[in-house]
Amino acid sequence: DDDLQTVMKQLARWYDVQIVDSSGRSNRQHFSGRIDRSLTLSQVLNGLELANARFSVGADRRVVILP
């Protein structure tokens, strides 16, 4: 039961990416569940998108949380 900002901090550590929040809503959206560490970043982000979180992934290892 973590907010999006906490989830994304964990993903930044696991996948060595930089997270940029341009949404302004990361503290309002909460998630519960588990993320298997064997999943790729793309798979994890696709799962989060099912919960209405939106992202843009750049070639520079930057993940932008979209509004």
Side-chain angles (χ1 to χ4, degrees):
D1 189 34
D2 288 322
D3 61 25
L4 183 58
Q5 183 179 23
T6 302
V7 172
M8 296 309 289
K9 282 182 184 179
Q10 182 66 48
L11 295 180
R13 287 191 298 271
W14 286 359
Y15 296 101
D16 191 28
V17 294
Q18 179 184 8
I19 306 298
V20 177
D21 184 2
S22 67
S23 72
R25 65 180 187 162
S26 65
N27 290 327
R28 293 180 292 186
Q29 189 170 11
H30 282 77
F31 297 88
S32 61
R34 293 182 167 266
I35 300 172
D36 189 332
R37 296 248 349 228
S38 68
L39 297 174
T40 66
L41 177 61
S42 180
Q43 290 171 314
V44 173
L45 294 179
N46 286 339
L48 291 173
E49 285 179 336
L50 293 174
N52 296 321
R54 295 181 41 224
F55 307 95
S56 172
V57 181
D60 57 355
R61 305 202 54 80
R62 177 181 280 195
V63 177
V64 179
I65 304 170
L66 302 172

